[in-house]
Amino acid sequence: MAEPDLSLLNSVVAQALNRALGKEDPLNSGGGGGTSGGMEARVARLESDMEHVKKSVSEISTDVKAVRTTLSDLKVEFGRFDERSKQMPTKGFIFTTSASLLAACGALTALIVKFLA
C-alpha cells in the first residue's frame, strides 16, 4: 500500500506550533499567498489605481452630461424642422398650382391672339 502524503498535515502542524510559540508566519512577497506579505505596497498600488478609476469615471460622467445636452438640443431642432416641414406645400399642391398657372397663361395667350387677329 502507498504511503499517504502528509506534507499538508505537516505544514498545518508547523503553523500551529509556530503560533503557539509566538512565532509569526513568514510573509509571502505578494500575489495573495494567504498572508499579509507585501500588503503596504499592494494597498498603495490599489489606492493609486482607484484614483485613476475615480478620474476616469468623473470624465465619463462629464461626457455623458454633454451627450445628454446635445441630444436635448437635437430633439428641439428636430421638433422645429418637423413643424416647418408640415407648413411646406406638398407635391400635389405644387403640381396643381403649376398646371393651373400654365392653363391660365395659355387661355390668356389665346384670348390675346384672338383679339389681336
Side-chain angles (χ1 to χ4, degrees), residues 48-108:
S48 172
D49 289 348
M50 282 308 297
E51 287 300 320
H52 292 296
V53 169
K54 285 180 183 179
K55 184 178 178 184
S56 296
V57 167
S58 174
E59 291 173 357
I60 291 170
S61 176
T62 303
D63 291 346
V64 167
K65 287 177 185 175
V67 168
R68 283 183 183 159
T69 301
T70 303
L71 285 175
S72 176
D73 293 345
L74 284 174
K75 285 180 183 178
V76 169
E77 289 300 317
F78 281 132
R80 289 181 187 157
F81 176 76
D82 188 44
E83 284 300 314
R84 286 194 322 216
S85 67
K86 286 179 182 177
Q87 296 172 0
M88 293 176 72
T90 62
K91 287 187 269 184
F93 175 78
I94 292 171
F95 179 74
T96 304
T97 305
S98 299
S100 299
L101 283 174
L102 284 173
C105 287
L108 187 60

Side-chain angles (χ1 to χ4, degrees), residues 5-22:
D5 185 13
L6 299 177
S7 60
L8 179 60
L9 180 60
N10 289 335
S11 173
V12 171
V13 170
Q15 287 177 2
L17 184 59
N18 284 336
R19 272 186 294 231
L21 295 174

